[in-house]
Amino acid sequence: QVQLVESGGGLVQPGGSLRLSCAASGSVFSINAMGWYRQAPGKQRELVATITSGGRTNYADSVKGRFTISRDNAKNTMYLQMNSLKPEDTAVYLCNLDYMFRGLGYNHWGQGTQVTVSS
């Protein structure tokens, strides 16, 4: 049913910027929230940023002031603008969709896109 495709990852030097995209397709009736998570090798997956259907945003303390989450409802696409990137931002970034369909709640993950911040 639901498919999430991330793109925009790559290699960037410290202080650089990247813009991640997450395109959603399928029969989605009611979106509760969308978010970006990241996971580095040997570490737990952590929340980066979320945005609710009403537009409320939430950020991890480590990315506040540097990252911006947004969405384009017409394109069913979510974005993560990442500025002033640091080596510790290196991780696989995953798109997450939390939604309701036929009265039931679902949580779906994309395949992830690699972000590497290095000199």
Side-chain angles (χ1 to χ4, degrees):
Q1 294 181 338
V2 176
Q3 298 290 323
L4 299 175
V5 180
E6 298 105 325
S7 62
L11 175 64
V12 65
Q13 294 184 346
S17 299
L18 284 174
R19 190 192 191 202
L20 306 183
S21 298
C22 174
S25 62
S27 299
V28 179
F29 264 59
S30 180
I31 298 174
N32 295 326
M34 298 183 73
W36 289 98
Y37 294 73
R38 67 187 181 187
Q39 187 165 23
K43 296 186 177 182
Q44 295 187 76
R45 184 174 298 178
E46 64 175 347
L47 182 148
V48 177
T50 59
I51 184 167
T52 68
S53 60
R56 180 183 177 183
T57 58
N58 178 255
Y59 297 91
D61 289 339
S62 60
V63 307
K64 286 182 179 178
R66 299 190 297 121
F67 292 10
T68 302
I69 189 171
S70 62
R71 68 176 189 270
D72 186 333
N73 291 333
K75 296 181 178 180
N76 289 325
T77 301
M78 177 180 63
Y79 305 95
L80 183 68
Q81 179 66 47
M82 304 185 294
N83 299 324
S84 301
L85 284 162
K86 305 174 181 179
E88 50 263 45
D89 294 319
T90 296
V92 173
Y93 283 71
L94 300 139
C95 178
N96 178 264
L97 173 66
D98 187 78
Y99 66 99
M100 299 291 292
F101 181 66
R102 294 181 176 178
L104 298 177
Y106 296 86
N107 189 267
H108 192 80
W109 296 90
Q111 84 288 347
T113 184
Q114 177 70 46
V115 172
T116 302
V117 185
S118 176
S119 300

